[in-house]
Amino acid sequence: MRRMNPTPSTTTTGPDAATGNDTEEKEPTAGAQTADGLADGKPGETGAPEDTDTSGATDSPEDDSADDDALDDGAAPPRTSSGVGVAAAAVVAAALGLTSLTGTWTGRVGAERETLVGQLHTSQTSSTSQQIAELYGDGWHTTAAINGAVALVAAIIAVIVLFALRRATTAGTAWAKPVAVAALVLGAIGVVVSLGMYFDLFASLPSAPATTAPTTTPPAS
């Protein structure tokens, strides 16, 4: 004998049945959308957002200029020379320029030598003008030539010092420039004076006065 099921079977009809079917259909659709979002990696959909790496971004010009300024600030300062050589050269030039005006030992020795040579080559029969030129004129010209050479050397050294002070950066030699300028002025004056003395422009050689033959009177008869 067949046993009967005491629980009656219920059949869902109407709107409830339709709603159940729609819910079952929407659940797979939502899962598919989530999977698609994870696969595509689109922001705004379900899934982890993409990480953006900005470490390789190009630096701006302001950053480059800041780096350059930092390098410039960290650079070592230019080396400056002590300037001892330039200062010593300026003092030497000034001393030579002053010596060219007051006279040098070398000029005196050269003048004495020319005087001795003139005495050896001059005879008693030579004219007075020739004796003056040989004994004194040559010695004076030798002194002027030597003093002029010293003055020229002083001027050249002064010009070199001024050029070196203009081109180089020296420390503690601010007084060297006025000294070099003074040496240049003294050297120029020495050269002018020596040229004038050598060519007898400032003082000419003395000349002997003209002598007249003595007149003789005839003896009285």
Side-chain angles (χ1 to χ4, degrees):
M1 182 176 182
R2 188 176 59 182
R3 183 177 295 179
M4 299 295 293
N5 188 2
T7 304
S9 60
T10 58
T11 303
T12 304
T13 59
D16 294 337
T19 304
N21 293 334
D22 293 341
T23 304
E24 292 177 356
E25 292 178 357
K26 288 181 179 179
E27 288 178 357
T29 304
Q33 290 179 355
T34 304
D36 295 340
L38 291 175
D40 296 339
K42 295 180 181 180
E45 295 182 356
T46 305
E50 294 183 350
D51 294 335
T52 57
D53 187 7
T54 59
S55 60
T58 305
D59 295 337
S60 61
E62 289 78 4
D63 296 337
D64 296 338
S65 62
D67 295 339
D68 296 338
D69 294 338
L71 293 175
D72 294 339
D73 295 338
R79 296 181 60 185
T80 58
S81 60
S82 60
V84 176
V86 176
V91 173
V92 170
L96 290 176
L98 183 62
T99 304
S100 66
L101 294 176
T102 58
T104 62
W105 175 81
T106 306
R108 186 174 70 251
V109 172
E112 292 177 355
R113 183 181 182 278
E114 289 296 329
T115 299
L116 180 59
V117 171
Q119 291 176 357
L120 295 176
H121 290 82
T122 302
S123 61
Q124 297 295 332
T125 58
S126 299
S127 61
T128 305
S129 300
Q130 185 179 0
Q131 292 179 2
I132 292 174
E134 292 290 338
L135 297 177
Y136 302 101
D138 292 345
W140 295 341
H141 293 163
T142 302
T143 302
I146 294 176
N147 291 341
V150 173
L152 182 60
V153 171
I156 293 174
I157 295 176
V159 171
I160 294 175
V161 169
L162 291 175
F163 184 76
L165 289 174
R166 185 177 181 181
R167 293 292 298 273
T169 303
T170 55
T173 56
W175 55 269
K177 185 175 182 179
V179 174
V181 173
L184 180 60
V185 172
L186 290 174
I189 295 174
V191 170
V192 172
V193 172
S194 298
L195 289 175
M197 295 299 295
Y198 187 84
F199 292 104
D200 299 332
L201 299 178
F202 301 146
S204 59
L205 289 175
S207 58
T211 57
T212 57
T215 57
T216 58
T217 57
S221 55

